[in-house]
Every structure is written in structure tokens, then in C-alpha cells.
Amino acid sequence: MAGDRPAGSPAAFIDARALIGCRHRLHLDSTHPEMLAGIPEDAGVRQRRDAAAAHRAEVRDALVSAAPGDWVVIDPDLRAGDRAQATLRACAAGVQRIWGALLPQEPDTGRRGGAEILMHDADRGGYIPIIVVNHKVTDPRRPEPAEFHPTTSDPFRWDPQPNPSRKLRQQPRDQQRLAHVLRMLQRHGLASPALVGGVIGYDRDHVVVHDLAPLLVEYDRRYADRIAVVRGELPTAPSKVLECRQCPWWTRGVQGIGCEGWLTDQRDVSLVAPGSRAEVLRRHGVETIDELAAWTGDAPEDWHYGPFGEAVVTARAWRAGAPLVRRVDSVRVPRADVEVDVDLESFQEHGAYLWGTLLDGVYRPFVTWDPLPTEDEGRSFGEFWNWLTTVRAQARAAGKTFAAYCYSRTAEDKWLYESARRFSGRPGVPTVEQVRTFVDGPQWVDLFQAVSDQFICPNGKGLKKIAPVAGFAWRDPEASGEASMGWYRRAVGYDDPPDLTQRSRLLAYNEDDVRATRVLREWMTTRADAEVPGLDDFGRRSIAS
């Protein structure tokens, strides 16, 4: 669907962001920018960009103020060409550290870009690129000598060493950006022969050091592909990926039909096997949902995404309009005499401001409206944990069983542990070991896992996809985790005076989430067996998984 770039048109440039993500979106963005004019920016994208800018400013201020004589800060208000020349002059002068570095655009290769930091390599000469990102790049862990340790350095003093107390988070976009900047430094003879780069993440207390040499072959292949797409030298076509959820082209198209409509008209296989799954299927001649649904026999040898038979059943269910398929003869969820539903609301990595609960039909929120990060978060978390512990103790004293339910425990577990660490010693706050005992025990039930284990879900497994099958509807038509980020900013007054109506909106949204969890649990244990077709209804025995 890509056409050649018209003769005489401006040279095409891309930065490292183009290396990760949808090729077709890159084509549409570059060839039809006028169609995006006037489209409101996605609120979640804007919030993440603003938060990243604030994070970078905090890192810059901390580093520069610690050793002002080591730094040259490139004026961000200069024109791009002037910023690039200022960067080259600073490099020629051998400045130890440069903040806000931008390198000259390359009309022949199409590269453009820079790094938050260029650090002079005192041992080998040249510069090491270091980028600053607003996501986590490592996680804490107990030292395990037999396991691979990432290399990290103090951000104030370059001294890379293996770090046994951290576990690396794989972030391919960061590594691709570092490789991109390295290639641009090499063009000017400014790259350190060490061929390494660094990333300062959300925690800001260390630099993760990446060996870039093994990445360059893949970077060069990927870059050649993406610049060819932008130049109109390679075709692209829609295919469903995770990025589609926030892409303006999903519902908007060059000829009046967006990617969603085009994929639906084509009955494209990526609708039921998104991302790399679709790539594998296409290599085996499977382009449509109908072709996947008709598959019999053995699974492809290069299929590594769980039982292949379930992919076939998913295609058959989509074709039949079935939102769920039972994997099991009888759906089960652990039930108890006393049942509590739990759902939290957090804001990026700043903290969890709301723990919502439902017991005996009564919604109880434990909340702080002080803008995160705030010490008052420890107060609301302590009150939540104290209440939950009291309910558990009362159930035990009465000889009753107890269970607490959430949907997709990853976020709840994360903030239970994080809150216990950050607010240790405050009233009601548990120890990390108390949290571990609870989340690893039978009283903490993840309904997402119960759904995943017992259903195939052609339309996705999110709560807002599954709960409507059980008959639940959210009161707010805009309810979503992404939308709640914008509501929260207005509720606490990050940008303007606090909007109290948004606080009510967040409480209603959270209440609906816990009520949806309860409705789903009750439906799974009463009506799901009768209302949801099973695997045998879609020809399970004709597929070799």
C-alpha cells in the first residue's frame, strides 16, 4: 500500500522512534501528514510525554548542579541546525559531558537524532551516548551470583561494574536508540571505541550500560527497512499489533477506511493472531481468519505461542461471533464465605492513590487526593491494609472462609510490595514479608488468571472485554485506564485548580471495576457453563496442537 515518494520531494528523515512499532503507521505518517492535522493528541500520549520531559529536567538539574564545570548544556530553544553545530563544537573542545546533544541530520542516510547526554570517554577518547527515559530499566533483586548481572554505573561518576542487586528489564527501544546515536557519532569520528551506551531510567540512581556491538547488525537491518518504507521503496499493509489501540489510523484511512475496517473487510488473520503470530502464519500461507479456521493437521514448526489448536479455535469462534470459548468442561473459581473485591488506581510510576474495595455490596475507597508522589499515600495504603486485615481476622474468628479478588494481579502485587517498602513503619503498613505471605497464599485470587486458564478469548482478555459477556456495563462510556490518567491530573490539580467532579468520576470508575469483578466471578460459577460453548463445539479433535 506504499507508493513512491514524488520526484523533487524533500529528503526523508527518521529518528530512532521509527525503529520500533508499526511499519504501516510509519508509511502513513510520512506520506499523509496532512490527514493528522487538527486531530487532538491522545491524552495518555500527552501525559507520558509531559511526565518524561519533567523527569529529564530533574535528572539534568541534579547532574549539572553536582559538577557544573563538567557540563555544557545545549540551549533547547535554538533551531535544530544551531543545536547540532553547538554539539559539534562542544565535542571538538573535548567537553566532559554535554546535555541536550543533537547531531546533524544526514540527508543521504536519513538519520536524525541525539541523546540527552554525550559523555567523553576519558580512557579511549570519543563520546558515549546516554539517554534518559521515564520508565524502569531494572528491578531490584536478591543477589544471586550464578545469574547474569547487568552492568551499571553511578550517574555522577562513570564506573561500570556488574550489579548483582539489579535485574535487567528488556527495553529494545532504548537499545535501538543508543545504536542509532552511535552510528551518527561514528559518522563524525566522535564515537568511543568502547561501543557502549547508557540509560538512566525512572529510578535515576544508576546508569544501565549496554554493549552495543552485538546490536548493530540488527539495528542496521531494521534501519534500512524503515528508511525504505519512508522513502516509498517498500510496500506496507495494515496488521493488528498492540500499538493499534492508540493509533489514529485505526479508524481513519487515506481512502475513507481505517486499518480496522480494512482488516475486517479482508478478514485478516492478525485480528485473531496479532503481532508476530500473524507473521508466522503468513509465512505458511495463512492470510485470513477463514484460512486459519480451516487448518487441520500439525502445528507449524516455528509456532511458539502456546497450543496451536487454540489459535485455530480462536479463528473459528471469531467467525461464529462467539466472544468466549470454554477450555474446560466446568468453569471454577475459588469462592469463600467472606469475599472482598479489590482494584487500585495508580498514576504512572508515582504511586497508587486509590485502593477500592467491595464487601457485601458496599464500596469502600481508601484514597489520597494529595498529588503523587506524596507521603499521604502511605496513610491511605495503611488504612486499606488495616481494613483488609481486620476483615480477614473477623472471618477467621467466626469460622468463615475468606478470599480477596482482583483482575490481573500484576499491578496490585507491584504496589502492595512497593507501598510496603516505601512506607515501612507507618501505621497499618505491612512488612514486605506480610505482603508476600498474603499474595502467595490461597486467599488472593486473580480472576484474570482464572479467565486465561478456562477460556479462549477471541476479542481479548481485559476486564472491559470479559465482564460485558457476564452482563456488566460501566456507567462512564469513556471508562479506561488510559482515560483515568487524564481524570487524575485534573482531579488533583497538576495543571489547574483541582476539579472535584473528576474525583467523583474516578471513584465511580473504580467502583465499577470492583463490581465488574464480582459480577464476573458470580457468572463464572453459575451460568458460564451453560452460556459459553466449549472446545468440542469448534472441532477441537480435528487439530493437532
Side-chain angles (χ1 to χ4, degrees), residues 17-159:
R17 289 176 296 181
L19 299 171
I20 301 293
C22 176
R23 295 171 75 251
H24 189 59
R25 179 176 184 174
L26 179 62
H27 158 65
L28 293 173
D29 286 349
S30 61
T31 54
H32 300 284
E34 74 286 350
M35 293 192 63
L36 300 178
I39 297 176
E41 184 179 32
D42 180 87
V45 172
R46 182 175 64 254
Q47 291 156 19
R48 287 190 292 271
R49 187 191 64 240
D50 292 345
H55 174 66
R56 288 192 296 269
E58 291 172 359
V59 173
R60 178 199 63 210
D61 292 347
L63 294 178
V64 175
S65 63
D70 294 347
W71 289 87
V72 163
V73 178
I74 306 299
D75 185 352
D77 295 328
L78 292 174
R79 294 173 56 252
D82 294 334
R83 288 172 59 199
Q85 291 306 309
T87 301
L88 293 181
R89 287 195 299 270
C91 291
V95 171
Q96 291 186 50
R97 298 195 181 199
I98 304 165
W99 180 275
L102 186 68
L103 294 163
Q105 293 185 350
E106 303 174 8
D108 54 339
T109 69
R111 288 189 183 92
R112 65 182 178 193
E116 280 73 39
I117 301 169
L118 292 182
M119 186 190 71
H120 188 255
D121 187 340
D123 296 327
R124 304 190 188 188
Y127 282 86
I128 295 171
I130 301 175
I131 60 176
V132 179
V133 299
N134 196 36
H135 51 255
K136 290 190 174 183
V137 294
T138 64
D139 288 309
R141 71 167 173 207
R142 297 174 179 174
E144 299 178 27
E147 194 174 350
F148 170 76
H149 304 314
T151 299
T152 67
S153 174
D154 187 300
F156 297 94
R157 182 176 60 86
W158 185 253
D159 182 28

Side-chain angles (χ1 to χ4, degrees), residues 224-545:
D225 173 79
R226 297 308 171 100
I227 193 64
V229 166
V230 171
R231 289 171 173 169
E233 299 166 356
L234 286 177
T236 66
S239 187
K240 188 177 181 181
V241 294
L242 185 63
E243 186 181 347
C244 294
R245 292 187 300 181
Q246 296 173 337
C247 179
W249 300 107
W250 183 242
T251 56
R252 182 178 289 100
V254 177
Q255 297 176 340
I257 182 172
C259 293
E260 180 183 28
W262 188 89
L263 292 169
T264 302
D265 287 349
Q266 300 295 317
R267 302 175 72 83
D268 188 85
V269 72
S270 69
L271 289 174
V272 296
S276 56
R277 292 173 172 83
E279 296 175 10
V280 172
L281 291 168
R282 290 180 184 124
R283 288 200 295 268
H284 292 272
V286 177
E287 299 282 347
T288 68
I289 294 172
D290 301 287
E291 289 168 340
L292 178 58
W295 186 289
T296 58
D298 294 335
E301 293 182 358
D302 52 350
W303 181 264
H304 306 295
Y305 306 99
F308 183 70
E310 293 189 1
V312 178
V313 168
T314 300
R316 294 174 180 175
W318 185 94
R319 193 168 58 175
L324 295 175
V325 178
R326 275 186 295 112
R327 303 176 189 269
V328 296
D329 292 334
S330 182
V331 176
R332 292 288 180 264
V333 175
R335 301 297 300 268
D337 300 322
V338 178
E339 297 180 327
V340 173
D341 296 286
V342 178
D343 183 71
L344 71 83
E345 306 297 338
S346 60
F347 185 67
Q348 298 173 354
E349 295 291 339
H350 298 312
Y353 63 90
L354 169 59
W355 293 86
T357 67
L358 187 72
L359 172 63
D360 296 331
V362 178
Y363 172 68
R364 294 175 180 83
F366 299 88
V367 62
T368 176
W369 295 118
D370 289 353
L372 295 172
T374 172
E375 287 297 310
D376 193 50
E377 181 192 350
R379 187 267 314 157
S380 61
F381 173 69
E383 291 178 357
F384 157 72
W385 184 265
N386 183 66
W387 177 84
L388 185 67
T389 302
T390 299
V391 173
R392 294 167 65 198
Q394 290 173 344
R396 183 172 59 252
K400 296 180 178 180
T401 57
F402 172 88
Y405 303 84
C406 66
Y407 197 86
S408 188
R409 61 185 284 181
T410 303
E412 276 76 12
D413 283 9
K414 168 187 173 178
W415 288 112
L416 284 168
Y417 280 117
E418 289 276 340
S419 301
R421 292 189 187 101
R422 292 164 57 212
F423 304 112
S424 175
R426 289 169 175 78
V429 172
T431 66
V432 170
E433 285 306 316
Q434 286 174 320
V435 169
R436 181 174 290 111
T437 298
F438 173 65
V439 301
D440 289 346
Q443 292 182 336
W444 187 227
V445 182
D446 184 0
L447 276 189
F448 175 83
Q449 191 61 53
V451 167
S452 300
D453 291 343
Q454 300 179 90
F455 296 110
I456 294 174
C457 312
N459 300 316
K461 291 187 286 189
L463 183 61
K464 292 175 182 61
K465 295 287 188 180
I466 303 300
V469 181
F472 187 83
W474 275 258
R475 288 171 285 177
D476 194 320
E478 299 178 14
S480 71
E482 199 71 38
S484 72
M485 296 293 179
W487 303 344
Y488 177 76
R489 290 191 69 90
R490 296 192 290 275
V492 300
Y494 271 143
D495 308 309
D496 299 296
D499 182 346
L500 301 186
T501 66
Q502 297 304 302
R503 297 183 183 184
S504 299
R505 192 177 195 183
L506 285 165
L507 291 172
Y509 166 63
N510 181 260
E511 179 180 354
D512 281 355
D513 277 356
V514 290
R515 291 193 182 279
T517 305
R518 185 189 68 174
V519 168
L520 178 59
R521 174 179 70 255
E522 293 173 346
W523 173 80
M524 289 175 69
T525 53
T526 56
R527 303 181 354 245
D529 290 352
E531 295 180 6
V532 179
L535 284 169
D536 289 342
D537 295 307
F538 294 96
R540 167 171 51 179
R541 293 184 176 85
S542 67
I543 310 157
S545 297

Side-chain angles (χ1 to χ4, degrees), residues 137-141 144 147-150 163-170 206 208:
V137 294
T138 64
D139 288 309
R141 71 167 173 207
E144 299 178 27
E147 194 174 350
F148 170 76
H149 304 314
N163 189 340
S165 67
R166 308 300 299 183
K167 179 172 62 176
L168 186 67
R169 281 195 177 194
Q170 294 298 330
H206 58 277
V208 173

